[in-house]
Amino acid sequence: MTNINGSCLCEAVQFEAQDKFQQFHLCHCDQCKKMSGSAHVSNLFIRPEFFKWLAGENLVARYDVPKRSITNAFCKQCGSAVPYLSSTKQWVIVPAGGLNNCPSLKPQDHIFTNEKAEWYKDIDEIAQYPHFPD
């Protein structure tokens, strides 16, 4: 089984997961938009036994949204989203942007699309550049 490594932006928090992700959701809920500062989060779900911390677990801060089963976990040094154990302890939620390699599982769906940002609709119709535009 292939292992996939990941880290935060400053690389103080590092982790490894077996490529056994079972779910991959792009969540557009209001809370996830606020946590990410973007249109959605891109989260992979894996069973805890297939995940391990390599460094910096003590640098992970966690905020559990009251009355919701939503968590924001981030590196205390750089603020990057990092994995966390779900409140049910059945899943480790791994932000896809923190992975150094591509998992075999592709995004399965967009969820909470009724809360999708208006400015994010019809996004494929705008110009695309491989770097900053001139």
Side-chain angles (χ1 to χ4, degrees):
M1 180 55 58
T2 303
N3 288 332
I4 298 177
N5 290 340
S7 70
C8 63
L9 183 61
C10 71
E11 298 185 351
V13 176
Q14 297 183 27
F15 57 91
E16 179 180 83
Q18 293 180 29
D19 193 8
K20 292 187 176 187
F21 296 102
Q22 294 184 17
Q23 299 176 43
F24 193 169
H25 304 290
L26 306 179
C27 183
H28 295 265
C29 79
D30 291 336
Q31 292 79 20
C32 285
K33 288 186 298 192
K34 288 192 181 289
M35 283 189 292
S36 69
S38 189
H40 61 78
V41 296
S42 305
N43 285 335
L44 292 142
F45 289 58
I46 192 168
R47 296 290 182 195
E49 60 266 25
F50 303 124
F51 175 89
K52 71 177 180 178
W53 295 104
L54 299 177
E57 185 178 5
N58 61 316
L59 294 173
V60 175
R62 178 183 178 117
Y63 173 72
D64 295 311
V65 178
K67 300 177 185 168
R68 298 286 307 266
S69 60
I70 298 173
T71 297
N72 186 21
F74 53 93
C75 171
K76 292 177 188 177
Q77 288 187 178
C78 68
S80 297
V82 294
Y84 63 90
L85 185 63
S86 68
S87 59
T88 65
K89 303 196 181 342
Q90 293 181 6
W91 300 103
V92 173
I93 314 304
V94 179
L99 297 176
N100 298 336
N101 314 80
C102 187
S104 58
L105 183 64
K106 302 300 179 217
Q108 298 167 291
D109 49 30
H110 290 266
I111 59 175
F112 292 92
T113 56
N114 60 325
E115 298 176 31
K116 186 185 280 190
E118 283 296 319
W119 54 265
Y120 191 70
K121 296 177 181 172
D122 303 322
I123 198 97
D124 290 332
E125 298 174 10
I126 62 175
Q128 297 184 32
Y129 302 94
H131 47 74
F132 277 116
D134 295 329

